Amino acid sequence: MQGADRAEPGEIDVPVEVGGAAISPGDAVVLDADGAVVVARDRLDEVAQASRERAENEDAKRARFEAGELSYDMYGLRERVEGSE
């Protein structure tokens, strides 16, 4: 990687590739302890909505676990395993 210097000022708002991922102007780059993801500008609303829905689903599951429900029951495994006997 080479940064800008006084002889070559570099460019702004141009596509780049970082670690094999193409990033275009307007894309979102999201980083956390697990890694990074690039979300294309034209998918930002769709991905944000899916993320909100997943977070709500995870919150609901967490509340069920905290109330004592087992994943065995939550995911219908008891019915599938014990109901077929």
Side-chain angles (χ1 to χ4, degrees):
M1 180 183 219
Q2 180 180 359
D5 61 33
R6 290 187 180 137
E8 297 290 330
E11 297 177 278
I12 297 174
D13 288 333
V14 296
V16 296
E17 185 174 314
V18 179
I23 306 169
S24 296
D27 291 352
V29 180
V30 182
L31 307 146
D32 69 10
D34 294 322
V37 65
V38 177
V39 181
R41 176 199 321 223
D42 63 345
R43 295 196 60 215
L44 290 173
D45 290 338
E46 169 192 352
V47 172
Q49 180 60 33
S51 297
R52 282 189 289 274
E53 290 171 5
R54 181 173 180 135
E56 290 170 4
N57 182 279
E58 293 297 320
D59 288 344
K61 285 180 187 176
R62 187 175 300 107
R64 291 170 67 180
F65 287 136
E66 289 172 353
E69 188 170 354
L70 302 174
S71 59
Y72 189 62
D73 295 314
M74 187 183 305
Y75 297 116
L77 297 173
R78 183 180 308 277
E79 183 179 304
R80 287 175 44 202
V81 172
E82 297 176 12
S84 63
E85 294 176 0

